[in-house]
Amino acid sequence: RSISSILVKQGFITMILFNVYYVSFSAVLQWKYNSLNTSYNWANNLILIICLIGIAAAVVVMEFSTKESQYGEFKKKFKDTWTCRIYILMSVVMRICLGMYSALQNDYQESTLFILGIAIIFVMYNLINLPFNDALQNYRACLCHITMLVILLTTNYYRSMKSNTPMLVKAHIHVPAMVEIVLIALCVFVSMLVLTYEIAQTAKKFKESKTVGEEKMPIQGPTKMNLQ
C-alpha cells in the first residue's frame, strides 16, 4: 500500500510538471477561439476545467501534506526553508503562466517580451535560492532553466527583433539557433550524468545498509536439539 501510494503521488506530480504547460495552453486556446454554443464545445471546456482543478488540487495537497517520504524527490531533496520548499509550486505556477499567456497573446509579436519576463523571474528565483540540498542538482537545475531562457530569447529574437527582416535573410542567421541546440544537448548530457551519479549513490547506500544489517544480525547459538 505504501509503495503504491508513493508511485501514484510521485507519478501524478511528474505528469503535472510535464503536461501543465500544454493543458494551460490548450485550455486558453479552447476558450479563445471556440464558440460555446454547441454541446461538444461545452464538454471540451468542462474537461479542461476539471483538469485544471485537478492540477491545482494535487499541488495544494502536495504542499500541505505531512508525509514527505511519499513524495520522494519532490519534497525530500530541498533545503529546509519555505522559499526552497515551494520550488515545485513555483515551477507549476510558472508553466501555467507561460502556457496561458502564450495562448492568449499568440497573435502579437511583442508577447514574447512578457514571456521573457516570466522566465527571468523564475531563473532569478532559482539562482538566488539554489533550492536543492545537492550542489549537482542545483547546477543541473540552473543549467536547464538558463537553457529555457535562451530558447525564449531565441524565439523573441527571430519573431520580434527580426520581424521586419525578410525571411530569406532571417533564415540564414544561424548563431542563435546553434547556441540553443548546443545548450539543449548540454542539458541532456548533464541531466543524464547527474541521474547516473544518483543511481550509483543510491545503489552504494543500499549495499552499505544491507551490509550493516547483516553485521547486526544476532548469531544463533546451538539449540537443544543440536546439543543432543
Side-chain angles (χ1 to χ4, degrees):
R1 182 179 179 181
S2 177
I3 295 176
S4 62
S5 178
I6 291 171
L7 291 176
V8 169
K9 291 178 179 178
Q10 292 192 33
F12 191 51
I13 296 298
T14 303
M15 183 181 68
I16 287 174
L17 289 176
F18 276 99
N19 294 288
V20 66
Y21 174 84
Y22 306 107
V23 173
S24 303
F25 186 84
S26 302
V28 174
L29 283 182
Q30 176 78 12
W31 293 328
K32 183 177 179 180
Y33 293 112
N34 279 1
S35 172
L36 300 177
N37 297 327
T38 63
S39 59
Y40 175 76
N41 289 329
W42 274 108
N44 286 341
N45 286 323
L46 180 62
I47 293 172
L48 288 172
I49 290 171
I50 292 173
C51 288
L52 291 175
I53 292 174
I55 289 170
V59 174
V60 169
V61 169
M62 185 197 75
E63 288 299 318
F64 293 99
S65 175
T66 56
K67 297 181 180 180
E68 297 186 0
S69 61
Q70 294 186 348
Y71 285 97
E73 61 183 9
F74 295 115
K75 298 192 75 171
K76 296 175 69 176
K77 292 188 177 181
F78 300 108
K79 297 175 183 176
D80 195 17
T81 59
W82 72 270
T83 53
C84 296
R85 296 179 71 83
I86 62 169
Y87 176 81
I88 298 298
L89 177 62
M90 288 289 290
S91 299
V92 172
V93 170
M94 185 268 296
R95 285 171 169 80
I96 289 175
C97 292
L98 284 179
M100 296 182 74
Y101 187 81
S102 299
L104 189 64
Q105 300 292 328
N106 65 333
D107 298 326
Y108 303 99
Q109 295 179 353
E110 296 79 9
S111 63
T112 52
L113 293 173
F114 189 79
I115 292 172
L116 276 176
I118 297 174
I120 289 172
I121 290 172
F122 187 77
V123 170
M124 291 302 297
Y125 160 78
N126 191 76
L127 290 174
I128 291 170
N129 292 285
L130 296 175
F132 291 94
N133 289 316
D134 188 2
L136 287 177
Q137 289 288 353
N138 285 320
Y139 293 142
R140 179 198 59 80
C142 289
L143 176 61
C144 291
H145 296 314
I146 290 173
T147 301
M148 176 193 70
L149 182 60
V150 171
I151 292 171
L152 293 174
L153 278 169
T154 305
T155 304
N156 177 262
Y157 177 81
Y158 284 114
R159 186 179 182 189
S160 301
M161 297 181 186
K162 295 295 183 180
S163 58
N164 297 322
T165 303
M167 183 59 67
L168 290 177
V169 177
K170 190 190 301 186
H172 288 83
I173 303 176
H174 299 145
V175 174
M178 291 173 64
V179 171
E180 177 182 332
I181 292 172
V182 169
L183 282 175
I184 291 173
L186 186 61
C187 274
V188 173
F189 174 74
V190 171
S191 297
M192 293 297 295
L193 198 63
V194 173
L195 178 61
T196 303
Y197 174 78
E198 283 201 341
I199 292 174
Q201 290 296 107
T202 303
K204 182 180 177 181
K205 289 179 181 179
F206 177 76
K207 185 177 180 180
E208 290 176 352
S209 63
K210 187 176 180 181
T211 304
V212 171
E214 291 176 352
E215 291 176 353
K216 290 183 178 180
M217 288 181 62
I219 300 175
Q220 299 289 339
T223 61
K224 185 176 181 182
M225 184 178 293
N226 290 335
L227 291 173
Q228 292 176 353

